[in-house]
Amino acid sequence: MTEPTGHMIIAGEAVAGSGATIRAVDPSTGAALEPPFGYGDAGDVERACAAAAAAFGPYRRTTPVRRAEFLERVADNIEALGDALVERAHAESGLPVARLTGERGRTTGQLRMFAKLLRDGDVEVPRIDPALPDRTPPRPDIRQRWVPLGPVAVFGASNFPLAFSVAGGDTASALAAGCPVVVKGHDAHPGTSELVARAIADAVAASGLPAGTFSLLFGHGPDLGTKLVTDPRIRAVGFTGSRTGGLALVAAAQARPRPIPVYAEMSSVNPVFPLPGALAERGAEIAAGFVGSLTLGAGQFCTNPGVVVAVDGPALRAFANAAASAVAACEPSTMLTPGIADAYRRGVAALAAHPSVEVLAQGVEHDRPAACRPALVATDADAFVADEALREEVFGGCSVLVRCRDAEQVRAVAAAMEGQLTATVHAAESDHAEAAELLDVLELTAGRVLFDGWPTGVEVGHAMVHGGPFPSTSDPRTTSVGTLAVERFLRPVAYQDVPTALLPSAVADGNPDGLLRRIDGRPGRH
Amino acid sequence: MTEPTGHMIIAGEAVAGSGATIRAVDPSTGAALEPPFGYGDAGDVERACAAAAAAFGPYRRTTPVRRAEFLERVADNIEALGDALVERAHAESGLPVARLTGERGRTTGQLRMFAKLLRDGDVEVPRIDPALPDRTPPRPDIRQRWVPLGPVAVFGASNFPLAFSVAGGDTASALAAGCPVVVKGHDAHPGTSELVARAIADAVAASGLPAGTFSLLFGHGPDLGTKLVTDPRIRAVGFTGSRTGGLALVAAAQARPRPIPVYAEMSSVNPVFPLPGALAERGAEIAAGFVGSLTLGAGQFCTNPGVVVAVDGPALRAFANAAASAVAACEPSTMLTPGIADAYRRGVAALAAHPSVEVLAQGVEHDRPAACRPALVATDADAFVADEALREEVFGGCSVLVRCRDAEQVRAVAAAMEGQLTATVHAAESDHAEAAELLDVLELTAGRVLFDGWPTGVEVGHAMVHGGPFPSTSDPRTTSVGTLAVERFLRPVAYQDVPTALLPSAVADGNPDGLLRRIDGRPGRH
């Protein structure tokens, strides 16, 4: 089936929600899209969570290879949806087909990456401290492996209808860890969500897994979302979205009788620091790259470069002029939803009205309700540090240039900023001494520090960190992109003097799973 | 100096607190001990946190070997205090000298274990995904290492005046991670705390580290403790103590403008499951071991076996009779403080007054205000599951025997219990099928599952997990004992296309630190 039917998918079954009805909107035309989708209610949450809890036992006991085959099936099924999936996602999000084709590749690539991690036996590194019977007192045999936390609730993001949504990174890493998943789909792309959910549910069935391994619900965030997060069977939450939404989920999760971890990726302005040598050497090139990154996908990336911090002077003025010209020439881009476009316009207007802000450029004027004009504004470092309104994220293609007196003030601005997903430095060879001092600040502020590039475009791999200190995420100790993300859904358990016949294979004698393990701390495939 | 002087130690300086004055009490005599200690105030918190923040930069940039030397110096200095330290701890806690001598060895052993971890280059496993310039699009060079979170607040526990206190596991692991530490010492052993704090401060000075790397404060928990946890410069918290105290710290940490992680080890009743075959084969032996573990250290261990769950029948009755006789013969033991003894007596009295509870035995009667009589009471599984009052921890040597109809009810009781630090199974060969089913439940309930032994006596090593689901801890994803504990105070950072000259050594080309690293996911010392 390649057309959405307006259903939730609960433990393999198509369920029509009995609540309020929503339709996706094509943001490029404002037209409502068929079919209608009914919101789910408390009974649907109950049913999905009960099924997930029932699935947890059998699912967590599957072998890593079986979970790998399942994830690969999900990827295959998503690809089998063909153009229909990309077209539906395009209609619902306004994102270009080429971008969505790339995003689909990223989504299936992530699923296969976690499958490979499972096949390679690299989800966890068990530890074994063998018994020392002759020690005084004798040391028992202690073995440690990692077990999945339990059913995970995932909240789809608006800005990545595939890669951070129903079968996105949170879902893939939770399933890899051995956790059933209940997704709350985003209202902006219900049809895309249903199609992907069917791809997952079909893979669940074809893999002979319990149907409750996966469910998709629709519903009102503060109502159904809170019900989902506070259901006692849910044991962790993955979220990508606004700071308000993320903090509400954290508060709900903390208020439970048994609190659970929430991995919320929320808010980041992703500062860029072009240093004097780099500006002098290649200011025009940096300006072009900056505006390209700022306006990519209508600026709707978590890693969009929303702040530029540099020492004022002729080189920065030349950079600002070049960037302003490029911004002024930008045609309007369609945003994901009319509501997001409204919020963007309000954010830019508030900045423009700020007494310490000068508007350097805005893109070409237009009258399309769901489109945006990129914007570049400027302020000075003292004002930026003094007023947090200037440091808040405006979701979309808007950036604030912060002019500093000297390198020391650049570092002071960096230190005054809240936690960030990324921080970017542009440095010539002559800037390296200063860059080293700045790096020392930025590695404490951001999850990823990059040089001479742009923060948009998050590579999926082993070393990536898509995370960072609060408020960029609610938990800086991890990442939502890359293989490390699987650790979010695991916890360690120690087995002391457990009889050989009863030991889990991950910590069994002879290493039957071929895992990297630490024996008395010493790592090896032993 | 081997006599306490009544001072806090703030960034290397002895400071007399200006607040309320406390004295330690020898619980075996009720006598107040000299000298008096003044509580610190907000100014002292400010001073300690400012010094810790100033120390963080230089301290985190020390080489692992330098941090190892520092931790070894701390261990040497604690040993150099000689008998004076053990004697003071004995006077303040009532714990036997032999136990405290062992605890001192455990404390210095932990410090040296983290030092070895640093020398072996095993604190973190950095990751490198090398650039792929020929890929479309080209892949950047991405390298991931772990950075310390920042200054850590540690709350000393009452029941381990050395191993979970000023230089205990939380402090040792935070210092190993590169985090300065501010300890709030426990009121029950201020003199011990001051002596150990001086040993650390002397090691800070001798190692040429910034004085703010370590401070010790005294103060009222809800007042000074909250100030410490909500100071913006504190970035993580380690705590061992009551559920009320731990939850208060979690709430305070979550209510900060920038929330921080709290690792609170709180409450656990550590259920024991003697299976039918084991009871038939060696019930008397299990009863003797059980009462030994229950009454060890007056029952004042986090891992004290507070619940026994088994199928009713002749073998269980024989076990209960043997255990009751052993309990009834127990002489009173001095508890850590008169307040703890009071709370213990109230807890036992409440259980004894419960309509579904039968008192099987209590230890020898006495009239010592700070001493306790161990207690063994019994109830049935239906009552135990129905009333959470029966499942709450009574800190001290009291245990509840839960009689079940059959093996299925044993598993139901296990599943109904809250998160635990430990769960213990006693199984004969003939019990293995049942033990396997039970293990499946217990590994989701407890941080450590052990067979045919006793939960008291937590081995310090690589594979230990001293942690577990809520409420045994506030964060089940980690451990407060063993080398894995260091990860609590680190977070990952990715470096993308950072110039070779600026890369941290952990992720530099050629692996100058000799670390285990993952290159494209493949582990090795490369």
Side-chain angles (χ1 to χ4, degrees):
Chain A
M1 196 177 312
T2 57
E3 289 296 319
T5 61
H7 289 85
M8 304 183 286
I9 305 292
I10 302 182
E13 286 186 35
V15 175
S18 60
T21 295
I22 59 156
R23 280 181 176 77
V25 172
D26 182 336
S28 65
T29 63
L33 298 170
E34 294 303 325
F37 286 79
Y39 273 172
D41 59 16
D44 298 312
V45 173
E46 165 63 30
R47 193 168 154 194
C49 292
F56 178 45
Y59 184 62
R60 79 179 182 94
R61 287 191 290 271
T62 54
T63 62
V65 169
R66 248 189 101 198
R67 287 207 293 287
E69 289 166 353
F70 164 51
L71 293 176
E72 287 156 355
R73 266 202 187 99
V74 174
D76 293 347
N77 289 355
I78 288 172
E79 281 167 358
L81 288 165
D83 293 344
L85 177 65
V86 170
E87 281 159 16
R88 178 78 196 188
H90 170 63
E92 291 186 327
S93 69
L95 294 170
V97 166
R99 141 77 196 268
L100 289 165
T101 305
E103 190 181 326
R104 180 181 58 189
R106 177 191 171 120
T107 307
T108 54
Q110 279 183 160
L111 288 158
R112 293 187 176 117
M113 176 188 76
F114 284 111
K116 181 169 187 307
L117 195 74
L118 286 159
R119 288 187 187 279
D120 289 349
D122 278 338
V123 164
E124 56 163 334
V125 180
R127 297 168 170 221
I128 299 177
D129 295 344
L132 297 175
D134 298 332
R135 197 192 66 173
T136 312
R139 182 171 85 171
D141 177 281
I142 303 181
R143 301 171 188 231
Q144 177 193 102
R145 71 154 175 165
W146 295 74
V147 297
L149 292 178
V152 172
V154 170
F155 289 76
S158 64
N159 60 340
F160 278 86
L162 299 171
F164 284 87
S165 192
V166 177
D170 286 340
T171 299
S173 53
L175 290 174
C179 298
V181 170
V182 181
V183 173
K184 188 193 105 45
H186 199 283
D187 281 0
H189 49 261
T192 308
S193 296
E194 185 197 330
L195 292 177
V196 173
R198 286 181 183 275
I200 301 174
D202 290 350
V204 167
S207 304
L209 297 171
T213 302
F214 174 80
S215 290
L216 167 70
L217 302 173
F218 294 113
H220 182 236
D223 180 13
L224 183 132
T226 305
K227 279 209 171 53
L228 182 56
V229 168
T230 54
D231 187 286
R233 291 158 294 202
I234 295 294
R235 295 304 168 86
V237 178
F239 169 89
T240 299
S242 70
R243 186 162 172 172
T244 313
L247 291 182
L249 294 184
V250 170
Q254 279 292 324
R256 291 165 49 121
R258 174 180 175 156
I260 55 173
V262 174
Y263 302 103
E265 194 256 86
M266 300 186 290
S267 175
S268 183
V269 294
N270 304 295
V272 178
F273 299 86
L275 298 185
L279 281 178
E281 250 180 34
R282 49 186 171 86
E285 182 195 322
I286 296 172
F290 163 64
V291 176
S293 178
L294 178 68
T295 58
L296 191 72
Q300 300 167 119
F301 288 99
C302 318
T303 54
N304 188 60
V307 171
V308 179
V309 186
V311 176
D312 204 4
L316 184 63
R317 284 194 288 276
F319 164 86
N321 288 340
S325 301
V327 164
C330 280
E331 294 295 326
S333 329
T334 302
M335 297 196 82
L336 292 157
T337 71
I340 288 174
D342 271 353
Y344 173 75
R345 274 189 292 268
R346 282 198 306 277
V348 173
L351 277 177
H354 194 286
S356 303
V357 167
E358 171 194 358
V359 177
L360 298 185
Q362 293 200 65
V364 173
E365 276 196 77
H366 65 91
D367 56 3
R368 286 160 49 192
C372 70
R373 307 163 68 189
L376 181 62
V377 306
T379 191
D380 63 86
D382 292 323
F384 186 79
V385 169
D387 189 350
E388 68 176 324
L390 296 176
R391 302 195 299 273
E392 274 167 19
E393 182 180 9
V394 176
F395 186 71
C398 172
S399 196
V400 180
L401 174 64
V402 182
R403 300 177 181 123
C404 301
R405 276 188 303 277
D406 51 26
E408 196 183 329
Q409 196 175 34
V410 168
R411 287 197 298 278
V413 167
M417 294 187 78
E418 294 187 291
Q420 303 291 334
L421 293 173
T422 72
T424 300
V425 178
H426 283 266
E429 193 85 26
S430 60
D431 295 317
H432 276 188
E434 194 181 324
E437 289 196 64
L438 191 57
L439 181 58
D440 200 59
V441 176
L442 296 179
E443 69 185 5
L444 298 181
T445 307
R448 175 167 55 114
V449 183
L450 61 146
F451 271 61
D452 304 324
W454 300 102
T456 45
V458 180
E459 190 64 40
V460 178
H462 302 285
M464 176 51 67
V465 177
H466 189 63
F470 187 89
S472 66
T473 77
S474 58
D475 192 331
R477 294 162 292 175
T478 183
T479 170
S480 62
V481 172
T483 54
L484 194 68
V486 74
E487 296 185 4
R488 297 177 297 169
F489 303 114
L490 298 168
R491 69 172 184 86
V493 178
Y495 301 80
Q496 179 174 320
D497 285 336
V498 170
T500 305
L502 302 178
L503 277 172
S505 64
V507 289
D509 292 335
N511 197 11
D513 294 352
L515 309 183
L516 178 72
R517 311 198 293 188
R518 287 189 179 270
I519 298 187
D520 266 332
R522 198 168 40 83
R525 298 233 175 241
H526 53 196
Chain B
M1 197 179 310
T2 55
E3 289 297 319
T5 61
H7 289 85
M8 304 184 285
I9 306 292
I10 302 181
E13 286 186 34
V15 174
S18 60
T21 295
I22 59 155
R23 281 183 177 77
V25 171
D26 182 335
S28 66
T29 63
L33 298 170
E34 294 303 325
F37 286 79
Y39 271 172
D41 59 17
D44 297 312
V45 173
E46 164 63 30
R47 193 168 154 193
C49 292
F56 179 44
Y59 184 61
R60 81 181 181 93
R61 287 191 291 272
T62 54
T63 61
V65 170
R66 251 191 97 198
R67 288 208 290 289
E69 289 165 354
F70 163 50
L71 293 176
E72 288 157 354
R73 265 203 187 99
V74 174
D76 293 346
N77 288 355
I78 289 172
E79 282 168 357
L81 288 165
D83 293 345
L85 177 66
V86 170
E87 282 160 15
R88 178 77 195 189
H90 170 63
E92 291 185 328
S93 70
L95 293 170
V97 166
R99 141 78 195 267
L100 288 165
T101 304
E103 190 181 326
R104 180 180 59 188
R106 177 189 172 124
T107 306
T108 55
Q110 281 184 158
L111 288 159
R112 293 188 176 116
M113 176 188 75
F114 284 112
K116 181 169 187 307
L117 195 74
L118 286 160
R119 289 187 186 279
D120 289 349
D122 279 339
V123 164
E124 55 164 335
V125 181
R127 297 168 169 221
I128 299 177
D129 295 344
L132 298 175
D134 299 332
R135 197 191 67 172
T136 311
R139 182 171 85 171
D141 178 280
I142 304 182
R143 303 173 187 230
Q144 178 192 101
R145 71 153 174 166
W146 295 73
V147 297
L149 292 178
V152 171
V154 170
F155 289 75
S158 64
N159 60 340
F160 278 87
L162 299 171
F164 285 86
S165 192
V166 177
D170 286 339
T171 298
S173 54
L175 290 174
C179 298
V181 169
V182 180
V183 173
K184 188 191 105 46
H186 199 284
D187 281 1
H189 50 261
T192 307
S193 296
E194 186 198 330
L195 291 178
V196 173
R198 287 181 183 275
I200 302 175
D202 289 350
V204 167
S207 303
L209 297 171
T213 302
F214 174 81
S215 290
L216 166 70
L217 302 173
F218 294 113
H220 181 237
D223 180 14
L224 183 132
T226 305
K227 278 209 171 55
L228 182 57
V229 168
T230 54
D231 187 286
R233 291 158 294 202
I234 295 296
R235 296 302 168 87
V237 178
F239 169 89
T240 299
S242 71
R243 186 164 174 172
T244 313
L247 291 181
L249 293 185
V250 170
Q254 280 292 325
R256 290 166 49 122
R258 173 181 175 157
I260 54 173
V262 175
Y263 302 103
E265 194 255 87
M266 299 185 292
S267 175
S268 183
V269 295
N270 306 295
V272 177
F273 300 85
L275 299 185
L279 281 177
E281 250 179 35
R282 48 188 170 86
E285 182 194 322
I286 295 173
F290 162 65
V291 176
S293 178
L294 178 68
T295 57
L296 190 70
Q300 301 167 117
F301 288 99
C302 317
T303 54
N304 188 59
V307 171
V308 178
V309 186
V311 176
D312 206 3
L316 185 63
R317 283 194 289 277
F319 164 87
N321 288 340
S325 301
V327 164
C330 280
E331 294 294 327
S333 330
T334 303
M335 296 196 83
L336 291 157
T337 69
I340 288 175
D342 271 352
Y344 172 75
R345 274 188 291 267
R346 282 197 307 276
V348 174
L351 277 176
H354 193 286
S356 304
V357 168
E358 170 195 358
V359 177
L360 299 184
Q362 294 200 63
V364 174
E365 276 196 79
H366 64 91
D367 57 3
R368 286 159 48 190
C372 70
R373 306 163 68 188
L376 180 63
V377 306
T379 189
D380 64 88
D382 293 320
F384 186 77
V385 169
D387 189 349
E388 68 175 325
L390 296 176
R391 302 195 300 272
E392 275 167 18
E393 182 181 7
V394 176
F395 186 72
C398 172
S399 198
V400 179
L401 174 64
V402 181
R403 300 177 180 123
C404 301
R405 275 187 302 276
D406 52 24
E408 195 183 331
Q409 195 174 34
V410 168
R411 287 196 299 277
V413 167
M417 294 187 78
E418 294 188 290
Q420 303 291 336
L421 294 173
T422 72
T424 300
V425 179
H426 283 265
E429 194 86 27
S430 60
D431 295 317
H432 276 188
E434 192 180 324
E437 290 197 64
L438 190 57
L439 181 57
D440 200 59
V441 176
L442 295 180
E443 67 186 4
L444 299 181
T445 307
R448 174 165 57 113
V449 183
L450 61 146
F451 271 62
D452 304 324
W454 301 101
T456 44
V458 180
E459 189 64 40
V460 178
H462 302 284
M464 176 50 67
V465 177
H466 189 62
F470 187 90
S472 67
T473 76
S474 57
D475 192 330
R477 295 163 293 175
T478 183
T479 170
S480 62
V481 172
T483 55
L484 194 69
V486 74
E487 296 185 4
R488 297 177 297 169
F489 303 113
L490 297 168
R491 69 173 183 86
V493 178
Y495 300 80
Q496 179 173 321
D497 286 336
V498 170
T500 306
L502 302 179
L503 278 172
S505 63
V507 289
D509 293 336
N511 196 11
D513 293 353
L515 308 183
L516 178 72
R517 311 197 294 188
R518 287 189 180 269
I519 296 187
D520 266 332
R522 198 167 41 82
R525 299 233 175 239
H526 53 194

